[in-house]
Amino acid sequence: MRRWLKFVLLILSFLPLGVGTYAYEVIEVTDGGTIKGKVKFVGRPLKDETIRTNKNQDYCGNTLPANKYVISPDGGIQNVVVMIESIDKGKPFPKDIAVVNNYRCAFDPRVIIGFKDNELEIKNSDPILHNTHLYQDGKTLYNIALPDKGESIKRPIKKTGLIYVRCNTHKWMKGYVYVSDHPYITVTGKDGSFVLTDVPPGRYKLRAWHAALGEITKEVEVTAGRFTEVNFEFKK
């Protein structure tokens, strides 16, 4: 028995510390670089869908844009999540918490960023009942009824990955929360542009994800104090 115990202790002594306990380390980034670029759609222009509403039409109206594809005249794609795939240390996390906002019978913004071990605020900005239902890994994460305008509830974010957001009252409402364990992640603006600042020098894998168009991955090398341009092109 003692021999067996000594053998186990010997094996453990050769294992690297922190196996299975990975955690992002916040450091002062004094020589960081910047990754910037644009996400564009190339090919025949995509036409967004029109939703016919079937509930609260006096407030929501009879039709709404699906906002499945929000593309600028020059092809820039809005609502694309751009992130470094894995990074173990760098700048601090943003102080603002993620907000799922029920606004004008849609989730606005449609795509947001959340951070593991932070909070998520679910808010109703409409004068009608919304029932916000969040799913992760195919299971219900939170199911929250918000009957009053201005009402909000906060819940913890415990796991990385994609959270699907739906409204049980208004079936057409769809949104997404992309949860990260590091702060090097963003969502493209109206013109499809993005910026990631204070990135420690090194080689990384950069991913662009869109709910309807899929994802693209590119290798990128960040140099201290320099701008590195990375552009993505989606096709369909």
Side-chain angles (χ1 to χ4, degrees):
M1 185 68 176
R2 288 182 178 178
R3 285 183 180 179
W4 178 83
L5 181 59
K6 288 181 179 179
F7 176 75
V8 171
L9 292 174
L10 180 64
I11 294 298
L12 290 175
S13 69
F14 285 100
L15 290 175
L17 293 175
V19 172
T21 58
Y22 162 82
Y24 177 81
E25 179 186 359
V26 175
I27 62 170
E28 183 180 2
V29 181
T30 58
D31 59 348
T34 299
I35 303 172
K36 67 174 184 176
K38 195 166 185 175
V39 183
K40 298 186 72 173
F41 182 82
V42 295
R44 179 179 291 182
L46 293 171
K47 187 177 181 180
D48 196 26
E49 299 170 8
T50 298
I51 296 167
R52 294 192 176 277
T53 64
N54 57 7
K55 193 114 180 173
N56 296 115
Q57 291 174 322
D58 56 332
Y59 178 77
C60 300
N62 296 320
T63 61
L64 288 169
N67 288 327
K68 185 176 181 180
Y69 306 109
V70 184
I71 302 175
S72 67
D74 68 345
I77 310 173
Q78 189 176 355
N79 292 329
V80 179
V81 176
V82 180
M83 76 200 91
I84 293 176
E85 280 206 345
S86 62
I87 181 169
D88 58 4
K89 58 185 176 181
K91 67 181 180 180
F93 289 87
K95 293 182 179 180
D96 296 336
I97 69 171
V99 180
V100 173
N101 188 18
N102 296 265
Y103 177 69
R104 302 296 302 179
C105 306
F107 294 112
D108 185 26
R110 180 181 172 89
V111 181
I112 63 173
I113 301 300
F115 298 103
K116 183 176 178 289
D117 299 326
N118 205 332
E119 283 187 313
L120 182 69
E121 181 180 356
I122 300 92
K123 181 180 179 181
N124 184 7
S125 295
D126 288 338
I128 56 175
L129 167 69
H130 285 298
N131 197 121
T132 307
H133 199 156
L134 298 95
Y135 302 84
Q136 193 171 31
D137 297 329
K139 299 178 181 179
T140 293
L141 185 63
Y142 299 116
N143 191 358
I144 298 169
L146 297 167
D148 301 319
K149 182 177 181 178
E151 188 175 5
S152 69
I153 295 176
K154 293 179 181 178
R155 291 290 184 267
I157 304 174
K158 299 179 181 179
K159 191 176 180 180
T160 59
L162 187 63
I163 297 175
Y164 294 87
V165 188
R166 303 292 184 262
C167 179
N168 290 347
T169 308
H170 308 93
K171 301 294 185 181
W172 65 82
M173 290 176 59
K174 296 180 180 181
Y176 306 88
V177 183
Y178 213 113
V179 181
S180 174
D181 56 3
H182 64 75
Y184 295 101
I185 182 170
T186 189
V187 180
T188 56
K190 291 181 179 179
D191 63 349
S193 63
F194 68 90
V195 179
L196 296 172
T197 61
D198 298 319
V199 183
R203 292 187 65 85
Y204 301 99
K205 191 173 287 187
L206 196 67
R207 185 197 309 168
W209 173 89
H210 185 271
L213 297 172
E215 63 181 41
I216 301 172
T217 304
K218 285 191 173 184
E219 299 285 341
V220 58
E221 184 166 3
V222 177
T223 306
R226 298 279 188 91
F227 285 90
T228 301
E229 186 170 344
V230 182
N231 297 311
F232 294 92
E233 291 186 348
F234 280 93
K235 302 177 182 179
K236 191 172 177 65

